[in-house]
Structure formats: C-alpha cells, structure tokens
Amino acid sequence: MPDTVAQSDAAGRPPPLGDLLVEKGLLARNDLERAVELEREQGGGLARILSDLGFVNPADLLETQATRLGLPFLSGDEFPSDPPVEDRVPASYMRRYRFLPLGGAVVLRVAVADPLDLETLGSISSMTGLPVEVVLAPERAILAGIDKLYGTGEDSELPQAEQADIDRLRDMASEAPVIRFVNSLISRALEEHASDIHLEPSERDFRVRFRIDGVLEERRSPPRAMRSAVVSRLKLMAGLDIAERRLPQDGRIQIKVAGRDIDLRVATLPTLHGESLAIRLLDPTVAAAFDLASLGFDESLLGRVARLADLPHGLVLVTGPTGSGKTTTLHAVLKRINSPVRKIVTIEDPVEYRLDGVSQIHVNSAVGLTFAAGLRHIVRQDPDVIMVGEIRDYETAQIAIRAAMTGHCVYATLHTNDAASAVTRLADMGVENYLLASSLAAVLAQRLVRLLCVQCREPAGRAAAPDGRWVPTWRPRGCEACRGQGYSGRIGIFELLEIDAQARRVVARSGSAGALVDAARQRGMRGLREDGWDKIELGLTSVEEVLRATQGS
C-alpha cells in the first residue's frame, strides 16, 4: 500500500478521507465524486456510503480512517487470548454494538469499527469503571474475536468446520457484489412502494418477492453462489447472530434514503432448506401523508368517525386481519386530535409511524414490557388519550376497559372479521358483558382493496350490488404505469358499529354478535361489502377486489 502524502491543514484538522483513499490508490476519483454527491443528497456519512456501494474494501477503508485520525489499527490477529472483562460486559452487548475490549488495568483499550459511536464508548466506560482508549478494527474481526473469547452464545464452542463456514460467510457478506445486490434490493423495494421483502429458500430455488399493495410479486433472485452471503449480509446489518441458524431471530436496520430515515424490521425463520427472511419496510414519515379524509371514508362515515375521534372518554376498537390498515387508521385519528392540550401515549409492536408530540412506546417482551405491563404504567402518567397497538389477552383488555371507564379515551386494535364479533372476542377473553356495555363506544371494522389504475382501467358492464341496485363496474387491464398489474395503491372499506343505548342493552344482556348486527342494521349500519360496492360504483376498485377482501365477513 503506497504511503499517503495528504497532510493535516493549518488548523490541525485531518485530511479528507476521500482524498486519502484516492492517494493510496484504493478509490477512483470519479467514484469519490459520485459518493460525495450521494452523501450531499442523502446524508449517512461518506465512509458508510463508500462501503455500501462497494467502492472500497471495508478493511482498507477502516485502516485509512485509522491513519487519518491517528488511531491504532488491528487486523484481528493481535486480539488477546483471554477475555479481559468477562464479568463486567455481556458478550451479547458486545455483539450488538460491535466492540471488543482488549484489556488494560488503568485504561481499557477497546476495538471498534466506528470511532464516532460516542454513546457506546460511554456505556463501556460506565460498565467497567475505566476510561476508554479506542483502537480501530474490521467489524468481522471484532465479531470473530467475540466468538473466540466469549463463545457464540452456546455452552460449547462451535466445531472448527462450522466456525470456518461462519467466517467464510462473514467475508462474503462484506464483498462488493453482495453489498451491491442487497442495496439494490432495498432501493428497488422502496422505489416500488413495497411494504415487505420476502427471501425464501427452497430445494431448487431462492425466491425473492415484494409485497406491493398487499399482493406478492416475484423479483430477480441473487446468483446461486451469493445466496447464503445475501442472507448473512442482511442479518449482520440487522445486528443478528449469523452463527444462529436454528432459531428465529428479529432485528432492525436503519438506513437513510433521499434524506428520509427508513426502518427495516428483519425476521428470520429456519426452514427445511435454509433461513427464510421477511423484511418489513417502515417509513416513519409516511404518517404525515395520511389523514382521515384520505383513507376512503365517504362523507357521512367521515363525519361519524371524526366525532368518535373527539370523544372525551370511552373505548374505540378498530378490527380486521393483519395488513388491513388498522394502525394507519388509528394514527390518522391521533394525528387529528394531537394538540398541546392533550397528552397522548401509545404502546405499539412495533412503532410504525412517528408522531410529533406523542409519547410512543415500543413493546419489548424480552425485558417484560408487554402490552399489559406498558398499559399499566401508562395510566399512571395522567394521559388524556391512550392507543394500544393490539389487545391480545384478558389482562390488556381489562386495563384498557378500566382506563376507558375512568376518564380516558382509549383506542385499540383487535383481530376479528367484522365489527360485531369484537364484542364476542372480548367476552371469549373473559371480559364481563356489563363492563363492555359501560366502556365500549364504537367498533370500526376495515379491509384494504386495491385501487384500479386510472391510466388503464376499462368498463366491465353492470352488476347487481347487495342492495339490489345495478351499478357500473370496471376491470383492470395493465399498463406501464401500474407495472402491468392493473392496480396502483389501496383504499379502505369500512363498517362502523356505534354503541348507542339500544346496542348497549344488547351487549349487557347477551353480547351476541348476531343480535348486535340486527339492532345496528335497524338503525342503518352498512357492512363492509356494501361500502365496497359504493367504491365499485365510483370506479375506484373492481368487483373481484371487494369479494376477495370481504370473503368470510
């Protein structure tokens, strides 16, 4: 490697990293200019961009960074043979934050891959009671050193052949082609507005699919030789243990795209033919684009839901299957009522959208922060409005109902097929009917249907709606604007059950879903399918979409 000629400036500042890399012959000048332009547009730091694009080998990048900052650099061969802080710093913490203590009685030397992670360095100093001296080392060498000194989280060391395989996967996951493929995969999913990425191995194939508008679409698979490395790359980015391939794991990746912070929730699942990965893409800024008027409520229903949003107390439930937009609806409600005069607290799993001025709590079962435990503490914080991501058990339901009866407005989701079934679902959990009758204000059931592409939809004749009227219908055709699908975007269809005095008597007396529906129908409640047919008549969606979404309801 040639000697560098870059020097610190008159103020003593280190030379620019990019110039050092070019002078060392490790980076082409045009690649540096491209990376600088991306940093200017997206942020995220030049070093990370150079590494993610595969322009510079990560080890060479880190060694140059060490030279630039005047810090020692270790390749990994110089790591100690005995654990220096075995009883004071958990190995799991080292793996999560990518550092390795190297020893020292007065000052603790610590190998890190990111010398600017001051928060982690401060935590290490607090745990050990020693000041910290930074040494730079490649991330894969740090992880290998943790495995060697502290084990892989199992009772015994891995067999030598298996450890060699893990080391090989770490090396491959840091290679430029793998990095480029993973970055391209994530970028394309974001460009196509996918909600999820699925990577699924089988006996003869490795399927890559995007979920777009609720439907899975297949995409190009990585070359066979890269498949294990792609999975390992994503696991490393998510802070997961690549040595653990027998148990499910959950992790998180945070990236910046076009100036927006994007969260990726990664879940692994061991299958017969290897690990399957599901990646949920969450853009916390998306909430800013949603309000009640944009979700699909007609004028009459919008007014009724708006009144529910302004309730001073009571329990409002939003029901439907996974992926039916319940969380989006609740966040639109919270966005409407959010103001300096209200204290709003949420507990969610996960926090999908960030809301300014709202205290949001993320469920963490590993440390005992369940929905029930979190809700129990929330009610002691003097909130006006509480949002519960999901009522899953009797304890959570009981606390939510008690809060609704003592002056709080509580919004929550529940998994049921229709609005009336929410009452029987809570009764099945053990909630007494009289408590429900006293606390429940309304139940909103919903589904999502795909919107017909306005560029290529075509008339499909007339069809009979559930109420007997004949309405014009449209069908998808497919064009370049909608990627040949015939649909682009989604909209909600709804069923609102308001608990008035008559419904309250039904709930208190029997809680029968059938009796509740009959009483509500007499007062004009319209079902999911009827709302769907209104949207068919408006040319927003197709008959097939409404029938698919309302099947079984």
Side-chain angles (χ1 to χ4, degrees), residues 65-86:
Q65 186 77 289
T67 300
R68 174 176 175 267
L69 298 175
L71 296 172
F73 175 82
L74 299 179
S75 64
D77 298 334
E78 306 89 338
F79 288 169
S81 55
D82 296 313
V85 291
E86 188 165 11

Side-chain angles (χ1 to χ4, degrees), residues 493-494 527-537 541 546:
I493 58 175
F494 304 94
L528 287 164
R529 189 163 287 186
E530 291 164 295
D531 190 42
W533 274 88
D534 286 348
K535 290 174 172 65
I536 292 170
E537 187 173 16
T541 191
V546 171

Side-chain angles (χ1 to χ4, degrees), residues 89-103:
V89 183
S92 59
Y93 190 80
M94 299 179 198
R95 286 191 188 90
R96 182 174 181 182
Y97 293 102
R98 306 295 199 263
F99 68 88
L100 178 65
L102 303 178

Side-chain angles (χ1 to χ4, degrees), residues 445-524:
Q446 68 177 70
R447 299 288 190 279
L448 293 176
V449 294
R450 290 184 292 172
L451 287 165
L452 286 163
C453 174
V454 295
Q455 302 291 329
C456 65
R457 67 181 182 181
E458 56 188 23
R462 299 170 71 84
D467 60 6
R469 76 187 193 278
W470 287 82
V471 302
T473 65
W474 299 74
R475 61 175 167 242
R477 189 178 72 214
C479 65
E480 185 176 344
C482 60
R483 309 177 319 281
Q485 299 301 306
Y487 297 95
S488 180
R490 290 189 289 177
I491 196 170
I493 58 175
F494 304 94
E495 172 185 279
L496 178 61
L497 171 61
E498 293 179 276
I499 309 299
D500 59 10
Q502 185 179 350
R504 211 172 298 284
R505 286 193 292 271
V506 174
V507 173
R509 186 169 58 247
S510 67
S512 164
L516 199 53
V517 169
D518 290 342
R521 288 279 189 186
Q522 291 173 13
R523 299 185 314 283

